Amino acid sequence: MIEAEINGIPVSVPEGTTILNAAKEVGVQIPKLCYHSDLDAWAACGICVVKVEGSPKMLRACATAIAPGMKVLTHDPEVVEVRRTVLELILSTHPNDCLQCGRSGNCELQTLAADFGIREIPFEKRVEHIEPDTSTTSIVLNPEKCIKCGRCVLVCQEMQGVYALEFIGRGDGTRLAPAADVNLEESPCIKCGQCSAHCPVGAIYEKDETKIVWDEIKKHEKHCVVQVAPAVRVAIGEAFDMEPGELATGQLYAALRRLGFDAVFDTNFSADLTILEEGTEFVKRFTEGGELPQLTSCCPAWTDYMEKFATDFIPNFSSAKSPQQMLGAMAKTYYAEKADIEARDMFVVSIMPCTAKKFEVGRDDNMNSTGFQDVDVALTTRELARMIKQAGIDFKSLPDEEADSLLGTYTGAGTLFGVTGGVMEAALRSAYYLITKEDLADVNFMECRGLEGVKEAEIDIKGTKVRIAIAHQMGNIEAVLNRVREAKANNEETPWHFIEVMACRGGCIGGGGQPHGATDEVRLKRTQGIYADDEKSVQRCSHHNPEITRIYEDFLGEPCSHKAHELLHTDYIE
Ligand code: HC1
Ligand code: SF4
């Protein structure tokens, strides 16, 4: 341990701890802008400077490790003045349209400017006009607002391994742009939205589609149906001063009804349906012979990645559509039939923690269940939070309500989809049943849990060994794919039979459309909320969901039947 002093307060922290993090331990907040705990510090902005006794110049707290006996001064008038100058310089090239900015109210730059009481900028204002890039269906890039902190570039290149973003030009002319200066749609971007989740200002944000939904609700011409994704329920509360991980399922249903939706369904229901389809597909491949490993297909950013960079894995992808798409397909067929409504008279909205889901709704192959898109609009958690605020709904004090029947009941397995390892854990619970015709005594697969980038395990299903891998955060995926490729090239047995992939760190709870401010601390709390939801569920295995049993009896026949294939499966583009 390193013993040192911060503002005269003794501090004892592990070797390698930065001054910034050591200060946090003794309750001292050093301001920061470019630094984010998910990323290596690259000391771009300079706002975290501190004085260290014996050092001739101020040091950047985010990138300097605390040393034995170090005496650090984090705040004095001189340090505060330097920070103020840094802020003023940033503001001198930043547009003054905070009131119309999507990040107004939770912009890190705005907060610092307010904290420092900045009223005027002593430097000449030089705002270069650059048109926002609206080319993708998922996110908008507004380089004019970029403060060149570099978070998005680091996220895209290092966390996600995609290299869609970079800085172009030099010195004052440096600007944020998609790689090779094409537009974002033409770049390798997979629409995960992690850049928008890490941007401290309003330079990258989700494509706001709330107006389309408001208009549709107001018109009263179509039957408006809504579904809520697993990870939304443990994060939306953060937009209403609730703790990360606090379960808000019942309040969400109530809020959606008050917004005017005619039927409120749950994506957790169709996550259970996915398990029956994808689990049956896996058991078939595993027991009867088929391309292995099977890869999960519910994360649209991962699917986009595969179609762009790993088409050799197309035969390995589960053909099951994602739960979002399955719910849309079931709403416009099964529910429509029961409620005597035409698919053309329905409008299906989904509330997702994800920006790539906006892209998924428009995939051509997903139009095939009724001739209309399965889902019409996907809104992120952040967009829904804004709608709830616009409607004057006091979210925290809402009573718990239930989802509507037919597509609303879910099991603990369905809710697990929201966390890394959750799809695998849910699949194993049902695969065990499908293989042995018996239920598990203990449904918890602890091997699937945790934030490790790649988890591997061998699962014993009554003597049958199933080797699994779980990867999350896109940058961790290529190594997994390469091990499969190597085994194939050497004619060796596949290292794994089943692999779950989620593009975002922590799985969907860390999705690019969730409330801002996710760190591992927040992700863990959201994860705990998901596991608590699983544990309190009456049924914890997808094959025990009574509405799923009914949908097969009344409508689909059996898992992977011809009808199920038509409505619930897809194919991929080379
Ligand atoms: Fe996800 Fe999924 S888990 S992809 O992370 O399979 O977005 O929450 O809705 O579709 O169920 C996201 C979450 C979500 C789908 C499910
Ligand atoms: Fe990179 Fe994801 Fe942002 Fe696209 S959405 S630029 S892939 S971080």
Side-chain angles (χ1 to χ4, degrees):
M1 294 295 267
I2 304 291
E3 313 288 336
E5 257 183 36
I6 294 179
N7 299 344
I9 311 165
V11 64
S12 176
V13 286
E15 201 177 332
T17 306
T18 59
I19 295 175
L20 186 83
N21 287 332
K24 244 184 10 198
E25 292 294 313
V26 291
V28 174
Q29 298 288 349
I30 300 172
K32 56 186 168 49
L33 258 181
C34 69
Y35 176 79
H36 190 289
S37 57
D38 283 345
L39 306 165
D40 289 337
W42 77 314
C45 73
I47 203 161
C48 67
V49 288
V50 293
K51 286 181 178 175
V52 172
E53 202 176 277
S55 168
K57 54 177 189 165
M58 293 187 195
L59 300 176
R60 295 182 185 217
C62 70
T64 311
I66 199 154
M70 205 182 234
K71 290 191 169 147
V72 181
L73 185 64
T74 64
H75 292 74
D76 77 356
E78 200 184 352
V79 174
V80 171
E81 204 42 45
V82 171
R83 289 180 186 150
R84 173 188 297 280
T85 307
V86 169
L87 270 177
E88 287 168 347
L89 277 167
I90 294 172
L91 290 167
S92 72
T93 58
H94 198 75
N96 273 346
D97 64 351
C98 292
L99 284 181
Q100 292 96 38
C101 179
R103 287 298 294 274
S104 189
N106 76 353
C107 165
E108 295 179 37
L109 178 62
Q110 194 181 51
T111 304
L112 282 171
D115 290 350
F116 277 77
I118 294 185
R119 299 286 173 262
E120 51 193 57
I121 317 288
F123 305 103
E124 188 195 342
K125 196 104 176 132
R126 290 174 293 108
V127 182
E128 189 196 351
H129 179 65
I130 310 171
E131 274 302 304
D133 180 340
T134 56
S135 59
T136 81
T137 46
S138 299
I139 55 168
V140 177
L141 209 66
N142 186 352
E144 195 173 286
K145 295 220 166 137
C146 173
I147 59 168
K148 299 170 187 81
C149 70
R151 282 191 200 172
C152 59
V153 175
L154 282 176
V155 165
C156 188
Q157 297 188 357
E158 290 179 10
M159 280 183 84
Q160 302 302 78
V162 175
Y163 291 82
L165 294 177
E166 61 183 15
F167 281 121
I168 288 183
R170 282 164 185 266
D172 279 358
T174 307
R175 74 188 152 83
L176 168 69
D181 214 5
V182 294
N183 69 33
L184 205 54
E185 181 58 24
E186 291 159 353
S187 82
C189 173
I190 56 167
K191 300 142 195 112
C192 66
Q194 283 302 316
C195 48
S196 74
H198 286 79
C199 177
V201 296
I204 310 184
Y205 47 94
E206 66 284 353
K207 195 163 250 184
D208 190 315
E209 296 179 294
T210 53
K211 185 171 181 316
I212 304 173
V213 175
W214 277 131
D215 287 350
E216 206 57 60
I217 292 173
K218 268 189 293 184
K219 275 193 274 174
H220 290 294
E221 285 169 4
K222 291 191 177 177
H223 187 74
C224 291
V225 166
V226 68
Q227 59 171 313
V228 191
V232 175
R233 68 206 67 214
V234 290
I236 190 153
E238 292 161 39
F240 302 95
D241 298 324
M242 289 161 69
E243 275 297 300
E246 235 182 283
L247 256 181
T249 316
Q251 287 152 302
L252 261 168
Y253 298 153
L256 290 165
R257 281 204 186 90
R258 286 172 199 209
L259 289 178
F261 286 102
D262 300 302
V264 178
F265 295 138
D266 202 316
T267 318
N268 286 11
F269 159 83
S270 46
D272 281 331
L273 188 58
T274 302
I275 287 301
L276 271 285
E277 292 297 317
E278 191 167 346
T280 303
E281 183 186 2
F282 172 70
V283 170
K284 266 196 183 146
R285 287 189 197 217
F286 186 77
T287 57
E288 295 169 18
E291 198 70 39
L292 290 170
Q294 179 168 299
L295 299 171
T296 58
S297 57
C298 51
C299 166
W302 157 230
T303 307
D304 197 20
Y305 182 94
M306 183 276 289
E307 289 183 335
K308 284 189 166 119
F309 307 114
T311 47
D312 50 329
F313 281 96
I314 286 181
N316 300 78
F317 253 60
S318 164
S319 63
K321 286 182 187 174
S322 75
Q324 163 175 266
Q325 298 303 123
M326 283 198 188
L327 196 129
M330 288 300 95
K332 289 191 178 177
T333 55
Y334 172 65
Y335 170 75
E337 199 177 292
K338 298 269 182 195
D340 199 17
I341 305 166
E342 293 290 325
R344 77 168 72 87
D345 297 327
M346 290 182 78
F347 186 73
V348 176
V349 176
S350 57
I351 312 299
M352 295 281 139
C354 171
T355 48
K357 287 284 172 192
K358 289 175 178 288
F359 147 76
E360 188 181 61
V361 301
R363 283 176 64 102
D364 287 347
D365 50 38
N366 285 322
M367 293 186 64
N368 58 13
S369 65
T370 57
F372 300 94
Q373 277 189 200
D374 290 338
V375 174
D376 294 285
V377 174
L379 299 179
T380 58
T381 313
R382 297 197 288 265
E383 288 166 276
L384 177 66
R386 290 200 290 273
M387 287 181 78
I388 293 172
K389 287 177 182 173
Q390 284 159 31
I393 295 168
D394 180 3
F395 187 78
K396 258 169 113 170
S397 67
L398 282 173
D400 280 346
E401 288 186 10
E402 298 290 323
D404 287 305
S405 70
L406 291 185
L407 311 174
T409 299
Y410 69 87
T411 72
T415 211
L416 285 184
F417 269 57
V419 292
T420 167
V423 179
M424 184 62 76
E425 184 164 350
L428 288 171
R429 290 179 187 180
S430 287
Y432 187 93
Y433 173 78
L434 291 171
I435 292 172
T436 65
K437 301 289 171 245
E438 287 175 22
D439 272 320
L440 286 157
D442 177 5
V443 297
N444 298 310
F445 285 91
M446 302 313 282
E447 307 89 327
C448 297
R449 303 188 183 186
L451 271 179
E452 209 181 317
V454 180
K455 291 163 275 187
E456 310 180 57
E458 186 174 78
I459 307 294
D460 189 340
I461 300 186
K462 281 198 142 184
T464 305
K465 310 272 193 233
V466 179
R467 294 189 300 278
I468 58 154
I470 295 154
H472 62 116
Q473 187 181 315
M474 218 55 227
N476 291 321
I477 313 307
E478 206 51 37
V480 173
L481 298 183
N482 283 340
R483 265 187 67 189
V484 176
R485 286 183 179 121
E486 270 168 40
K488 218 175 185 177
N490 298 329
N491 277 326
E492 290 164 5
E493 221 191 320
T494 176
W496 306 288
H497 301 112
F498 200 177
I499 304 176
E500 177 203 297
V501 179
M502 287 289 177
C504 295
R505 182 165 176 78
C508 289
I509 52 99
Q514 292 280 61
H516 286 102
T519 56
D520 276 354
E521 204 182 314
V522 170
R523 292 184 187 101
L524 282 171
K525 286 184 182 167
R526 291 176 185 166
T527 299
Q528 283 158 4
I530 293 281
Y531 287 124
D533 196 21
D534 169 34
E535 261 164 41
K536 76 178 181 57
S537 298
V538 181
Q539 298 296 345
R540 296 182 64 194
C541 298
S542 302
H543 56 276
H544 289 314
N545 182 330
E547 284 190 346
I548 297 286
T549 310
R550 177 144 47 119
I551 211 169
Y552 280 112
E553 281 171 5
D554 284 6
F555 191 69
L556 290 170
E558 56 184 16
C560 294
S561 66
H562 179 69
K563 190 165 189 177
H565 258 281
E566 266 187 355
L567 298 176
L568 306 177
H569 290 251
T570 184
D571 45 34
Y572 303 99
I573 311 149
E574 275 209 52

